Amino acid sequence: MAPLQQVDALENSQYGPHPSVIQLAKPYIFEQNLQECLAATKVTETKEDNIRLQGVTWIDSTRKAMLLPVRTYNTAVVYYHRFRLAHADLEYGFIDAAASALFTACKIEDTLKKSKDILCTAHNLKLTPAEQVSSDDPIFEGPSRIIAGTERLMLEASGFDFRNRYPQKLLLKLAKHYHVDRETVGKTAYNMLLDLYRTFAPLKQTTPTMAIACVELSGRMFDKGIPELEGGKGYKKWRITRLEVMETLLDLLDLYTHHRASTIVGQEHPLEAFISIRIALNQEASANKYPRYTGNAKKNPTTNGVKTTNGIKDPKGKKPLTSPREDILKGSMSPITAASTPTTSAQARPEAKDTTIRFMLDLDRARDEKAIVAEFFKLEEEEYEIEVERERRRV
């Protein structure tokens, strides 16, 4: 029976244990990938906006009541956004997801709080001092267990990437460098940065982009524009372009135009002020032919009138050339990918059910490891020709 088992193994292409699945962390996501993830979760745009704003508002009000620093708020909101991109809204309640994100952020930022303390604080915000309860109340037992279970999914959705960003530090330095008024422009820019986390901009943009966009928009609100920022001076130093800053500005203005009641700065200024700034930015974008979102790529881009794949084509004109990054990521789905379904990593990838998912941050290391492991899973065949003498038949 042993030879039969070997034959079956060869036919099924199973050569020993699976080498595990590598999942690379993605610190930034393009807008088109965000829209594809939201489309996979099958949620309408209006419902998505409401759930996103309600969850971030819950995190902000709870962390203020618990006197948590702003860095915990930044991390919690980013984890909340990433979790919602990987899981459909029908699988959980937004309060459970927001509480789990805040609980996970407290651990990461070393501002430890118990899950029951977070739930108790949020619960007491709705009650009078005489009706408030303690964290030992039995009503928090069930939600506390839900938070503990959701924490693992929260970390998987983020790819176990703990490289968080805190743009508030850079914003304060920029405000001091450009000598803006502290009580008006400076304070408004800081609040705008808090409002910016109610959008998906923290998943798309770098720290300098977010800080510069908030300082510029705040200056425009008080008719104290900063020509150096508006003209793009110093962008090369931060390795950013006007396209990313423009996208962030328009994301903020969309928030203030359609959801003023859910923001901090939106309630302090009239709607006409945001619309006038939006018109000026639209004119600038039209004059310079800026796209609404950066990173947009057509499926069949053209180069000098010739259709190509990624601008490169095989000399024979048949097989497109792909980069090493694409070769590694081919067949490797992350919770945040264009075609991902609103399920966990193991559910979205059938091959991951019977093996180990390993989360890595370094792309070069993943590529080298894959090349080394592939050598041991190669199917090598050798052909031999042997001459055999045939016996003559006797008549």
Side-chain angles (χ1 to χ4, degrees):
M1 298 299 294
L4 293 177
Q5 293 178 357
Q6 292 180 358
V7 172
D8 294 338
L10 290 174
E11 291 179 354
N12 296 328
S13 301
Q14 296 178 357
Y15 314 109
H18 196 279
S20 76
V21 178
I22 296 177
Q23 182 172 296
L24 294 173
K26 296 176 176 59
Y28 301 101
I29 309 172
F30 287 121
E31 176 66 25
Q32 59 266 28
N33 300 123
L34 289 173
Q35 296 301 327
E36 290 171 357
C37 290
L38 294 175
T41 58
K42 298 179 181 180
V43 61
T44 62
E45 183 178 357
T46 303
K47 184 177 180 182
E48 192 281 325
D49 291 339
N50 293 334
I51 295 177
R52 169 164 46 84
L53 294 174
Q54 289 175 6
V56 176
T57 302
W58 191 95
I59 293 174
D60 188 26
S61 59
T62 304
R63 72 98 185 174
K64 287 180 179 178
M66 301 185 73
L67 303 180
L68 294 174
V70 71
R71 69 175 187 271
T72 304
Y73 166 78
N74 295 345
T75 305
V77 174
V78 169
Y79 273 65
Y80 177 71
H81 289 329
R82 289 183 177 273
F83 180 81
R84 291 191 60 248
L85 293 178
H87 301 270
D89 294 327
L90 299 177
E91 299 178 4
Y92 60 90
F94 78 91
I95 294 180
D96 295 333
S100 181
L102 184 58
F103 178 63
T104 306
C106 288
K107 288 185 176 181
I108 295 173
E109 299 300 335
D110 200 19
T111 54
L112 298 179
K113 295 291 182 181
K114 296 180 180 179
S115 58
K116 291 184 179 180
D117 294 339
I118 296 175
L119 294 171
C120 180
T121 302
H123 180 75
N124 289 336
L125 288 176
K126 306 174 183 178
L127 305 177
T128 61
E131 298 174 344
Q132 293 181 358
V133 297
S134 64
S135 59
D136 297 331
D137 197 286
I139 62 174
F140 302 122
E141 291 291 339
S144 178
R145 287 193 293 267
I146 294 176
I147 290 178
T150 312
E151 180 186 6
R152 177 181 62 85
L153 302 178
M154 195 73 60
L155 294 173
E156 286 185 0
S158 65
F160 288 86
D161 189 359
F162 304 124
R163 297 172 295 182
N164 302 307
R165 301 184 291 275
Y166 316 105
Q168 284 81 6
K169 296 181 180 180
L170 180 59
L171 184 141
L172 296 177
K173 293 180 180 180
L174 289 174
K176 185 177 181 180
H177 175 73
Y178 292 108
H179 305 287
V180 301
D181 185 63
R182 182 176 181 179
E183 296 298 327
T184 57
V185 179
K187 186 177 180 180
T188 303
Y190 190 89
N191 291 331
M192 283 183 175
L193 192 52
L194 295 178
D195 287 337
L196 186 61
Y197 274 79
R198 303 176 191 272
T199 69
F200 286 119
L203 303 183
K204 301 184 294 182
Q205 309 298 345
T206 60
T207 297
T209 302
M210 293 188 289
I212 290 174
C214 292
V215 174
E216 178 182 342
L217 184 58
S218 179
R220 289 174 179 268
M221 290 296 301
F222 292 94
D223 295 329
K224 298 179 180 179
I226 305 175
E228 295 180 4
L229 290 181
E230 297 174 6
K233 186 178 181 181
Y235 285 3
K236 188 175 181 180
K237 175 183 178 182
W238 300 106
R239 297 184 179 181
I240 62 176
T241 62
R242 184 62 179 171
L243 292 175
E244 290 122 16
V245 177
M246 181 67 68
E247 179 183 355
T248 308
L249 288 170
L250 294 179
D251 286 345
L252 260 177
L253 290 174
D254 286 341
L255 178 67
Y256 291 139
T257 304
H258 300 98
H259 307 283
R260 293 177 57 238
S262 302
T263 62
I264 303 174
V265 179
Q267 301 178 9
E268 300 175 354
H269 299 273
L271 180 61
E272 291 74 14
F274 298 108
I275 294 177
S276 62
I277 296 175
R278 179 65 181 265
I279 294 174
L281 292 177
N282 286 338
Q283 292 174 352
E284 178 185 351
S286 300
N288 296 280
K289 297 181 179 180
Y290 292 152
R292 174 60 180 88
Y293 299 106
T294 57
N296 283 332
K298 297 181 181 179
K299 294 183 178 179
N300 295 319
T302 58
T303 303
N304 294 331
V306 181
K307 292 185 178 181
T308 61
T309 303
N310 291 335
I312 304 175
K313 200 170 186 179
D314 188 61
K316 297 181 180 180
K318 295 182 179 180
K319 182 180 179 181
L321 302 178
T322 57
S323 64
R325 178 187 295 267
E326 294 175 353
D327 293 336
I328 285 185
L329 298 180
K330 184 181 293 185
S332 172
M333 289 177 56
S334 166
I336 303 177
T337 50
S340 63
T341 55
T343 53
T344 60
S345 306
Q347 293 173 345
R349 307 171 63 171
E351 71 275 12
K353 292 183 179 180
D354 301 327
T355 186
T356 304
I357 302 178
R358 298 172 54 238
F359 298 88
M360 299 184 68
L361 304 179
D362 191 355
L363 175 63
D364 295 331
R365 180 179 176 183
R367 178 174 58 237
D368 297 340
E369 181 176 319
K370 182 179 179 181
I372 294 174
V373 172
E375 294 294 329
F376 295 93
F377 287 85
K378 274 186 178 179
L379 179 60
E380 298 181 356
E381 298 179 355
E382 296 182 0
E383 296 183 359
Y384 296 93
E385 294 183 1
I386 302 177
E387 296 182 359
V388 180
E389 295 182 0
R390 299 178 63 182
E391 295 182 1
R392 296 180 179 179
R393 289 186 178 182
R394 295 181 181 181
V395 181

